[in-house]
Amino acid sequence: CVTLDVQAACRDTTVTQELLKEGFHRDLLVKVELGEDAGGCAVAAQVRLPPGIYVDPYELATLQQHNLTKAVLFPDVIDVEAPEYLARDLLLLLFLERDTRCSRCFRAAVPVHARYHRPAQGTQEGTQEGTQEACVVLESPEVLLCCCHSHLSAECWEPAEVDAPCSSDSTSPCQWHSTKHRPAYEESMLRVPVGLREHNSLVCALTLLTTGLCSGLILAAACKYGHFP
């Protein structure tokens, strides 16, 4: 009976996420509608990024300088050139802005990029038959609140183990809270094109030919127009 009363008192917080654009370079849009008014609270979405997708820390820093997005990335040093099978999971704390059309609605977007996957051997596990695509599953974010001047309902929110500031402009840690009764959220799936191992010889030959041709053109231009002592 107590559990039913608590669930009835705690209105569900809904989360939706969308991967906008096409190809390897997307925008991740996160929208949250809180079950209660969070006046004076900072609202964030904690997103776990699998190895197949990443946020470029240099691009993120540029966007934050222009106040286009606010986020904290863990770890903050990332190899953006690493393929999926050599990468690791990332944790993104994305600070959400209030939607002017809804007092309990918040949203934010951040650019994300897909990593290259191993070439497929015909049709293998993890690829779709006949399409040579790998699937990157993006779990739904966890909604977090940080309230410095107001108190959240103990029946609905509990302290979260998040060592992060209340905003991207602050360095001091903040006590975040997450919902006790998290509803079932849907996952998003990113389909990434992968190459075929049968094409390795052709790709290597074309790459070597192109590299040699470009190097020859640069050398010829340097010899023709360069000034050497």
Side-chain angles (χ1 to χ4, degrees):
C1 293
V2 175
T3 303
L4 293 176
D5 291 339
V6 170
Q7 290 179 341
C10 303
R11 297 180 57 186
D12 285 343
T13 294
T14 60
V15 182
T16 58
Q17 62 180 358
E18 301 176 48
L19 286 168
L20 309 177
K21 301 179 180 179
E22 299 292 336
F24 278 78
H25 308 287
R26 306 289 193 94
D27 284 339
L28 175 63
L29 173 63
V30 179
K31 295 185 288 185
V32 171
E33 183 176 353
L34 298 176
E36 59 183 282
D37 189 14
C41 299
V43 182
Q46 183 172 254
V47 187
R48 293 192 176 276
L49 301 176
I53 191 171
Y54 71 96
V55 172
D56 187 335
Y58 306 104
E59 182 182 23
L60 183 61
T62 301
L63 292 173
Q64 296 199 119
Q65 288 177 358
H66 293 85
N67 202 30
L68 296 177
T69 190
K70 296 179 180 179
V72 178
L73 192 60
F74 305 98
D76 56 357
V77 178
I78 299 172
D79 184 358
V80 299
E81 301 295 337
E84 178 269 342
Y85 48 88
L86 295 180
R88 55 185 291 190
D89 290 356
L90 301 174
L91 189 64
L92 176 70
L93 187 66
L94 182 61
F95 297 97
L96 309 182
E97 299 289 340
R98 186 185 298 273
D99 193 330
T100 56
R101 298 167 295 180
C102 173
S103 62
R104 294 185 290 109
C105 301
F106 298 80
R107 59 187 292 156
V110 63
V112 295
H113 309 275
R115 294 188 184 273
Y116 290 106
H117 287 62
R118 289 186 186 275
Q121 183 70 48
T123 300
Q124 65 176 21
E125 185 179 357
T127 62
Q128 300 298 312
E129 185 175 357
T131 61
Q132 289 76 47
E133 291 181 334
C135 296
V136 179
V137 178
L138 187 60
E139 297 180 356
S140 183
E142 180 181 4
V143 179
L144 300 174
L145 264 66
C146 176
C147 301
C148 300
H149 305 293
S150 59
H151 300 282
L152 293 171
S153 170
E155 293 83 6
C156 305
W157 299 86
E158 62 183 354
E161 296 182 2
V162 178
D163 186 17
C166 283
S167 69
S168 59
D169 302 324
S170 173
T171 56
S172 57
C174 174
Q175 178 59 69
W176 291 91
H177 290 77
S178 61
T179 56
K180 282 188 175 181
H181 303 283
R182 183 179 178 184
Y185 298 148
E186 293 184 358
E187 298 174 334
S188 296
M189 185 175 294
L190 174 64
R191 299 186 182 278
V192 182
V194 297
L196 293 176
R197 293 185 182 180
E198 295 91 307
H199 297 162
N200 278 357
S201 299
L202 177 61
V203 171
C204 290
L206 290 177
T207 302
L208 183 62
L209 179 62
T210 303
T211 303
L213 178 61
C214 292
S215 299
L217 292 175
I218 294 173
L219 183 61
C223 293
K224 183 176 181 179
Y225 302 104
H227 300 282
F228 304 96

